[in-house]
């Protein structure tokens, strides 16, 4: 298990469940589970988890506001020190709610920023290309980058008709992430079942 993990979009849905499961996973419970969200003051479910598990650290982060990234890096570095961060789960994402005739250019730009910086996308090819490039750029630092299709999950985004419970989805994803041990996983796009997807 990673000794530290950073999860974006951690106040609800899949991100919140990642925090819940990593905070108590055994053996080798992570020393730090950084839970990033836009509005920590109103993140009630996350605050409850922080009270329950003392390895949960809530961090304020809006992915569309790059001016705050430096503060986040400082907060994480202060905790992990020379050990560095082991695992980043770029989970935050947003889906377009407006039709093509109603969407504003600012909404389009924000979606691109959230979903290209985080693990979603305007097109799957864009995400896969970003992941592939990151995997090549970061290889020299010993960092792997992969993208995972999480399935259709019962969250605010997935809706009640989705096929998979959030708890089951995250259990599956944690097992899959734990299996990424060697270079063959680097830069790949995985289906949650563990199958490598072509693109
Ligand atoms: N659910 C599905 O069926 C499904 C299918 C395929 C892919 N996915 C992907 O899986 C990931 C998790 O989805 P989910 O179902 O848990 O979605 P969700 O319930 O809608 O939660 C989305 C999370 O992303 C955060 N977020 C959105 N914009 C952000 C920004 N600018 N900065 C920081 N955080 C931001 C939200 O924070 P706020 O509360 O502040 O808005 C929320 O915590 C997403 O990337 C999603 O696209 C989901």
């Amino acid at each position: 298990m990673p000794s530290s993990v950073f999860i974006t979009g951690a106040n609800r849905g899949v991100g919140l469940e990642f925090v819940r499961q990593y905070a108590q996973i055994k053996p080798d419970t992570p020393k730090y589970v950084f839970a990033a969200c836009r509005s920590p003051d109103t993140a009630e479910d996350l605050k409850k988890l922080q009270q329950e598990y003392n390895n949960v650290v809530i961090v304020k982060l809006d992915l569309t506001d790059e001016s705050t990234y430096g503060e986040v890096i400082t907060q994480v570095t202060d905790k992990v020190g020379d050990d560095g961060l082991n695992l980043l789960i770029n989970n935050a994402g947003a889906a377009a709610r407006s039709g093509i005739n109603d969407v504003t250019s600012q909404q389009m730009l924000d979606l691109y920023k959230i979903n290209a910086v985080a693990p979603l996308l305007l097109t799957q090819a864009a995400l896969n290309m970003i992941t592939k490039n990151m995997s090549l750029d970061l290889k020299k630092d010993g960092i792997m980058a992969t993208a995972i299709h999480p399935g259709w999950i019962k969250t605010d985004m997935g809706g009640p008709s989705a096929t998979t419970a959030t708890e089951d989805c995250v259990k599956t994803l944690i097992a899959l992430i734990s299996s990424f041990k060697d270079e063959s996983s680097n830069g790949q796009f995985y289906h949650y079942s563990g199958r490598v997807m072509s693109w």
Side-chain angles (χ1 to χ4, degrees):
M1 283 302 150
S3 62
S4 58
V5 50
F6 188 106
I7 299 151
T8 65
N11 56 305
R12 60 190 169 101
V14 173
L16 181 70
E17 186 60 25
F18 264 121
V19 176
R20 191 191 317 281
Q21 293 195 22
Y22 269 124
Q24 56 186 307
I25 206 160
K26 291 193 174 55
D28 306 325
T29 310
K31 192 168 170 194
Y32 298 110
V33 179
F34 296 99
C37 62
R38 292 197 267 202
S39 311
D41 291 347
T42 55
E44 300 306 333
D45 292 336
L46 197 48
K47 284 197 271 190
K48 275 186 210 146
L49 285 182
Q50 190 184 37
Q51 281 160 11
E52 207 172 331
Y53 303 104
N54 60 13
N55 52 356
V56 174
V57 181
I58 300 178
V59 175
K60 183 174 165 60
L61 174 65
D62 184 333
L63 287 167
T64 59
D65 183 2
E66 283 148 59
S67 68
T68 63
Y69 288 11
E71 171 61 23
V72 173
I73 292 167
T74 305
Q75 276 178 270
V76 173
T77 310
D78 282 352
K79 295 273 188 206
V80 300
D82 290 341
D83 291 342
L85 182 70
N86 287 145
L87 175 63
L88 165 65
I89 300 181
N90 254 345
N91 159 81
R97 293 278 175 233
S98 316
I100 194 69
N101 295 325
D102 308 320
V103 72
T104 65
S105 58
Q106 191 55 51
Q107 283 172 324
M108 295 273 288
L109 283 172
D110 282 350
L111 268 181
Y112 181 79
K113 249 177 158 178
I114 299 161
N115 294 330
V117 174
L120 244 247
L121 62 158
L122 285 176
T123 71
Q124 190 62 56
L127 170 70
N128 293 351
M129 185 55 81
I130 290 167
T131 304
K132 189 75 198 169
N133 288 343
M134 272 172 52
S135 74
L136 296 172
D137 287 349
L138 299 175
K139 196 173 165 180
K140 61 180 183 325
D141 300 312
I143 296 171
M144 283 175 28
T146 62
I148 306 176
H149 183 320
W152 186 21
I153 316 136
K154 289 186 206 292
T155 61
D156 293 341
M157 188 184 290
S161 308
T163 50
T164 312
T166 314
E167 189 185 339
D168 296 339
C169 159
V170 169
K171 215 178 273 178
T172 304
L173 295 183
I174 288 179
L176 180 60
I177 292 166
S178 300
S179 74
F180 296 156
K181 293 208 187 327
D182 62 40
E183 187 53 32
S184 64
S185 307
N186 201 14
Q188 300 284 17
F189 174 42
Y190 282 92
H191 185 259
Y192 62 91
S193 64
R195 175 169 51 87
V196 173
M197 294 176 76
S198 52
W199 55 284

